[in-house]
Amino acid sequence: MKKSTPLLVGAYAVALGAAQAQTAVPPVAAIKPKQLTMLGNTRTDNYYWLNERSNPEVISYLEAENAYFDQVMAPVKGLEEKLYAEIKGRIQEKDESVPYRDNGYYYYTRFEEGAEYPIYCRKKGSVKAPEEVLLNANVLGKGKPYYQIGGWEVSDNNQLLAFSEDTVSRRLYTLRFKDLKTGKLYPEAIPNTGGEAVWAADNKTVFYTRKDVTTLLPYQVYRHTLGSDPKQDALVYEEKDNTYSMDLSRSKSRKYIGVQLHSTLSSEFRYLEAANPTGELKVFWPREKDHLYEVEHMGDKFYVRTNWQSPNYRLVETPITNTAKSAWKELVPHRKDVFLENMELFRNYLVLGERKEGLLQLSVRDWKSGKQHYLNFGEPAYTAAISVNREFDTPVLRYTYTSLTTPASTYDYDMVTHKKTLLKEQKVLGGFKKEDYVTERIYATAADGTRIPISVVYKKGFKKDGKAPMLQYAYGSYGISTNPAFSPARLSLLNRGFAFAICHIRGGQEMGREWYEAGKLLRKKNTFTDFTDCSKYLIQQKYTSPATLFAQGGSAGGLLMGAVVNMHPELYKGVLAGVPFVDVVTTMLDASLPLTTSEYDEWGNPNQKEYYDYMLSYSPYDNIKAQAYPNMLVTTGLHDSQVQYFEPAKWVAKLRAMKTDKNLLLLHTDMAAGHGGASGRFKSIHDVARQYAFMFLLLGIKA
């Protein structure tokens, strides 16, 4: 490759070297035009070169942007450090989860004071038994800039542990094995796995997925015999269609090992008996267009959550000897106003996780009598979810609960007596009292008449006079619902007069499957206009004003941020865009990038003109124009496995060249992290403190 002209000149020299300068000068990325022609349309990308990860010029540009960020943020550096200490001070550092019972042991994780990572533990037979440490991530991750345990699984005889680890943040996990009797690691280490491992019933055979190192899609299932050379592992299944991904599972009954193949709109389940690990995988029901399904086993039946002829899903059962649709018997019918999200099977009870009017509900049905009841939670906006329930023969349901004012809580619910027992509410230090805060559920009306739910929280005394600052958040893609949940860090905003709003916009699945369908493919723009219509409503109702309203979104929510600042920049004082997916057309045309071909059903296939034109009409990078933009903080990670770092880098470079305002535009790249940011419970607080300090800088908040 021809050596490029060094960038560390002119503006770069100022940004990197003039620490005493009164005015920071932003970096200016070199313009190197590249013509991109598709379907008769030619686009010019002046910053395409930034995707050259190994190019020193690219690294220099990212480092220059980081230096500029540091210089601009220098006036609030002390406040950022105060925020870090404040948020960290709310965390009970020495802490542990509520143990759950599985195969004769109680499993839990705990944190030691000052430690970044969890310690995975268990006790035999009783929570009062001596502790056995399975994994100490602090020891394993010592000296590494990034460390994460992916998945872990104990063998049926309770003596062996399979676990995976990622030290780069590319989600390419190395699979390891540990003898729990001796504490020693087995010599084999299997790289580039999906992070999950499933034991067969023989306590020596393990199934795992392998990823394509370019696309990062898991596409193969291998069978490994403990103690053998991984090079000799048997290929059990290979997925040839790169629009599909895969996951491994073991049924709650432990009888079956499953391979779940899934794309956006269709899925397929293959399985074999755990007692026969060398057997052939059976197809439960062949994949077909517009059919998603999941399978669980109990007794002599399979239970299937399916959207076949039922957009909001229904539940059916079928004999294990006949999985054809002709044998399916409906247990829970399709309902237009209720989305069936998940299920949990017990010997005597069926528990369903359902979503109605955007809120999660838990229903309990007695298998014998057929009687059904719902748990009552008593708040206008909350999140209740089925937790870890590994055993069939129990009348007790373990579930979790949180709201915008209630810290994460773990409950046991007696399905016979209907009695709830609070096992733990996450302790929040620093004098927090939930009664000091108010949560609301309100609705904005979109331009087409659709009512958009908004969950709002603020501290008592908040005045709706149009002067208060507000942070408005949304995601709105993949059918992922954004649930109202408590955040200890968010108190640093609420205690300084902020309100916080979650907009449950189309593209998520809060209001059922149609809510998702109405915010994808050729209807994707509904997601963006829903968000801006929510902004207009919040301003109209005097929760905030354009001078004090901030917008936030990450990943596909970063796409949302990019779209709304092109459409309605005048609505926002500032925007926080995390790992934003902003170069939609170019990315979706590159089949070598992670998560591209598997997402054609979400965004469309740009090789087809109808989708190409529509995506081009909203792609944030392609629609930057000469206009004033809000203040913006854009964050990314060099090793991001989902939205490559060069998308936000290119976006910022082009915005700098075209915007007509003098508002702040900052890019911060974590040179050691990926899509989820820094690893560790304290390192990640720096990311939040940085975002808050940016908003406080713009508002003149000094303490």
Side-chain angles (χ1 to χ4, degrees):
M1 181 181 293
K2 182 179 179 181
K3 187 175 181 180
S4 301
T5 305
L7 286 180
L8 301 182
V9 296
Y12 279 67
V14 176
L16 289 174
Q20 306 303 317
Q22 294 295 315
T23 303
V25 179
V28 178
I31 292 176
K32 303 179 182 182
K34 181 178 178 63
Q35 304 297 312
L36 302 172
T37 300
M38 185 68 186
L39 298 173
N41 174 261
T42 298
R43 296 174 296 136
T44 301
D45 189 343
N46 289 329
Y47 306 103
Y48 190 89
W49 64 273
L50 284 171
N51 71 355
E52 300 169 7
R53 187 188 304 271
S54 60
N55 184 347
E57 190 176 356
V58 172
I59 301 301
S60 293
Y61 171 71
L62 297 177
E63 290 174 341
E65 285 284 3
N66 282 352
Y68 173 63
F69 170 87
D70 289 340
Q71 191 175 358
V72 171
M73 293 290 287
V76 289
K77 185 63 178 176
L79 179 55
E80 181 182 331
E81 293 171 353
K82 177 183 177 181
L83 286 165
Y84 172 82
E86 184 179 295
I87 296 169
K88 183 181 178 184
R90 296 192 187 102
I91 298 173
Q92 182 171 286
E93 295 193 21
K94 188 175 182 180
D95 198 10
E96 68 179 54
S97 65
V98 178
Y100 64 87
R101 193 172 189 273
D102 184 21
N103 199 24
Y105 281 81
Y106 287 87
Y107 290 87
Y108 60 98
T109 57
R110 63 177 176 84
F111 285 93
E112 293 182 339
E113 190 167 350
E116 287 280 1
Y117 301 115
I119 302 170
Y120 299 84
C121 309
R122 70 178 182 178
K123 294 180 179 181
K124 186 176 182 179
S126 167
V127 293
K128 297 181 179 180
E131 178 180 87
E132 178 185 351
V133 173
L134 304 177
L135 295 170
N136 188 334
N138 299 288
V139 174
L140 295 168
K142 187 176 181 180
K144 298 178 175 67
Y146 181 92
Y147 188 79
Q148 183 187 52
I149 298 289
W152 59 274
E153 196 68 33
V154 177
S155 61
D156 288 15
N157 65 5
N158 293 313
Q159 296 178 11
L160 302 165
L161 176 71
F163 71 98
S164 63
E165 53 188 3
D166 178 10
T167 59
V168 179
S169 190
R170 286 287 283 175
R171 300 183 184 179
L172 289 168
Y173 294 94
T174 298
L175 184 60
R176 307 292 305 276
F177 303 95
K178 183 178 181 179
D179 187 321
L180 295 177
K181 293 181 70 176
T182 66
K184 293 183 179 180
L185 290 174
Y186 280 76
E188 61 255 45
I190 305 174
N192 302 328
T193 77
E196 57 203 348
V198 175
W199 291 96
D202 62 3
N203 301 301
K204 66 179 181 180
T205 304
V206 174
F207 293 83
Y208 65 91
T209 60
R210 180 162 287 169
K211 284 188 170 183
D212 183 302
V213 296
T214 301
T215 67
L216 303 184
L217 284 172
Y219 73 109
Q220 294 174 322
V221 178
Y222 279 88
R223 183 177 63 242
H224 174 73
T225 301
L226 193 60
S228 68
D229 184 352
K231 294 179 181 178
Q232 305 302 316
D233 288 355
L235 176 63
V236 176
Y237 178 78
E238 181 172 359
E239 178 55 53
K240 302 292 188 180
D241 186 341
N242 63 3
T243 66
Y244 280 77
S245 185
M246 65 174 63
D247 298 299
L248 295 181
S249 62
R250 182 90 178 264
S251 64
K252 185 174 179 177
S253 65
R254 295 180 180 268
K255 186 174 181 179
Y256 295 101
I257 292 168
V259 180
Q260 184 74 52
L261 302 157
H262 51 86
S263 67
T264 307
L265 295 178
S266 65
S267 61
E268 181 177 276
F269 185 70
R270 298 179 178 229
Y271 64 102
L272 57 78
E273 291 192 11
N276 183 26
T278 59
E280 293 292 322
L281 286 170
K282 298 179 181 178
V283 178
F284 184 89
W285 183 258
R287 68 190 69 176
E288 55 189 338
K289 186 179 179 181
D290 297 327
H291 184 196
L292 294 164
Y293 70 93
E294 299 169 356
V295 180
E296 185 53 278
H297 167 257
M298 185 174 72
D300 60 355
K301 294 183 177 69
F302 286 119
Y303 294 81
V304 189
R305 173 180 169 267
T306 171
N307 73 347
W308 180 57
Q309 298 181 344
S310 48
N312 280 342
Y313 289 82
R314 57 180 172 144
L315 182 64
V316 302
E317 67 177 19
T318 190
I320 61 174
T321 55
N322 184 3
T323 61
K325 284 181 181 177
S326 58
W328 291 9
K329 177 184 176 183
E330 186 171 85
L331 295 177
V332 179
H334 175 262
R335 292 156 291 175
K336 288 185 177 181
D337 62 339
V338 178
F339 181 79
L340 178 57
E341 194 149 290
N342 51 25
M343 62 178 165
E344 188 71 52
L345 304 177
F346 294 90
R347 189 79 63 204
N348 297 317
Y349 298 94
L350 167 66
V351 178
L352 300 178
E354 303 175 345
R355 192 179 291 274
K356 185 175 183 179
E357 294 183 352
L359 291 175
L360 285 166
Q361 304 179 116
L362 298 180
S363 75
V364 178
R365 176 182 297 190
D366 187 306
W367 284 117
K368 291 181 180 179
S369 69
K371 291 182 179 179
Q372 181 182 18
H373 68 273
Y374 286 84
L375 279 68
N376 179 29
F377 303 111
E379 288 194 83
Y382 62 87
T383 299
I386 298 169
S387 186
V388 181
N389 294 271
R390 293 290 177 87
E391 299 187 325
F392 281 115
D393 199 10
T394 174
V396 177
L397 166 70
R398 174 72 54 84
Y399 73 92
T400 57
Y401 180 85
T402 183
S403 74
L404 292 170
T405 59
T406 305
S409 306
T410 302
Y411 283 86
D412 273 354
Y413 178 72
D414 190 311
M415 293 180 281
V416 177
T417 66
H418 301 184
K419 180 183 177 182
K420 299 177 187 176
T421 301
L422 176 62
L423 303 176
K424 179 181 180 180
E425 181 177 283
Q426 187 64 47
K427 192 169 184 179
V428 180
L429 305 180
F432 166 75
K433 296 179 181 178
K434 68 175 72 177
E435 57 268 22
D436 291 341
Y437 302 86
V438 178
T439 183
E440 295 182 27
R441 184 80 158 186
I442 59 178
Y443 292 83
T445 301
D448 63 1
T450 303
R451 296 175 76 234
I452 312 298
I454 308 173
S455 299
V456 181
V457 64
Y458 48 80
K459 193 171 185 179
K460 284 183 178 177
F462 178 85
K463 294 181 180 179
K464 299 175 186 176
D465 58 6
K467 297 179 181 179
M470 171 177 268
L471 179 59
Q472 178 185 338
Y473 174 84
Y475 185 73
S477 289
Y478 303 108
I480 294 174
S481 300
T482 305
N483 298 314
F486 184 81
S487 166
R490 193 184 298 136
L491 297 175
S492 291
L493 294 181
L494 305 184
N495 292 345
R496 288 174 173 84
F498 270 75
F500 176 77
I502 300 172
C503 299
H504 305 284
I505 56 182
R506 284 174 284 186
Q509 211 156 230
E510 286 92 335
M511 306 293 279
R513 185 70 178 181
E514 174 54 29
W515 202 250
Y516 169 42
E517 298 289 345
K520 60 181 290 199
L521 296 175
L522 299 175
R523 301 163 76 187
K524 186 62 199 172
K525 290 180 185 178
N526 284 336
T527 300
F528 315 139
T529 56
D530 282 359
F531 189 87
T532 56
D533 286 338
C534 285
S535 301
K536 294 171 185 176
Y537 178 79
L538 291 165
I539 292 169
Q540 178 190 12
Q541 296 300 309
K542 300 198 173 188
Y543 284 87
T544 188
S545 73
T548 53
L549 177 58
F550 293 84
Q552 182 181 28
S555 193
L559 161 65
L560 170 66
M561 295 299 100
V564 301
V565 296
N566 282 336
M567 294 163 52
H568 285 291
E570 76 283 356
L571 292 175
Y572 308 101
K573 174 71 172 180
V575 170
L576 307 173
V579 292
F581 170 45
V582 285
D583 192 11
V584 180
V585 177
T586 304
T587 291
M588 293 304 295
L589 281 169
D590 189 345
S592 71
L593 291 176
L595 307 179
T596 293
T597 56
S598 63
E599 298 193 354
Y600 285 161
D601 289 334
E602 178 72 24
W603 313 105
N605 183 347
N607 294 289
Q608 300 173 18
K609 183 170 175 53
E610 181 181 29
Y611 290 109
Y612 177 89
D613 290 344
Y614 188 78
M615 293 161 71
L616 188 61
S617 73
Y618 69 75
S619 173
Y621 184 65
D622 293 290
N623 286 279
I624 295 172
K625 49 195 169 188
Q627 67 176 9
Y629 282 86
N631 298 282
M632 297 173 66
L633 170 59
V634 183
T635 55
T636 187
L638 182 62
H639 303 294
D640 197 321
S641 60
Q642 290 176 263
V643 178
Q644 305 299 302
Y645 73 90
F646 48 79
E647 288 200 45
K650 289 167 51 178
W651 186 44
V652 168
K654 188 173 180 180
L655 279 166
R656 285 206 197 289
M658 296 190 67
K659 71 191 191 82
T660 60
D661 59 86
K662 294 183 179 180
N663 290 330
L664 293 180
L665 174 59
L666 303 180
L667 172 66
H668 184 275
T669 304
D670 189 325
M671 306 300 282
H675 198 66
S679 63
R681 58 176 177 161
F682 300 132
K683 289 179 183 177
S684 60
I685 295 174
H686 285 291
D687 297 339
V688 179
R690 184 184 303 123
Q691 295 166 3
Y692 289 4
F694 173 75
M695 292 189 289
F696 293 172
L697 174 68
L698 296 174
L699 294 173
I701 297 174
K702 298 180 180 179

